Amino acid sequence: PAVLEHQGVIQGDLDNGDYDVVFWLVPHRAYRELKPADWQRLVKPGGVVFDLKSLLDPAMLPDRTLLSL
């Protein structure tokens, strides 16, 4: 974690948003239950979401980039 913080990467939480990039790596229930408005609050317009499990619908993220495997 210290190396990531040194590079400007922080571990965020669901209560604070406005992130440039969100990596969704593990499909925990808290993330699966997020509504489109929650995702829009978490990620800035023009931001990017990496969805490792391909669970998000791109329509949920207008003005954001969704990258899935």
Side-chain angles (χ1 to χ4, degrees), residues 3-47:
V3 171
L4 293 176
E5 288 179 14
H6 176 72
Q7 295 176 354
V9 177
I10 60 167
Q11 181 176 347
D13 60 59
L14 295 179
D15 295 325
N16 297 310
D18 209 28
Y19 298 115
D20 294 313
V21 178
V22 171
F23 292 89
W24 187 18
L25 305 176
V26 181
H28 294 297
R29 182 179 51 195
Y31 294 101
R32 289 191 322 262
E33 292 177 350
L34 289 175
K35 307 289 186 237
D38 298 322
W39 282 104
Q40 292 170 22
R41 178 182 48 80
L42 282 172
V43 184
K44 291 179 182 180

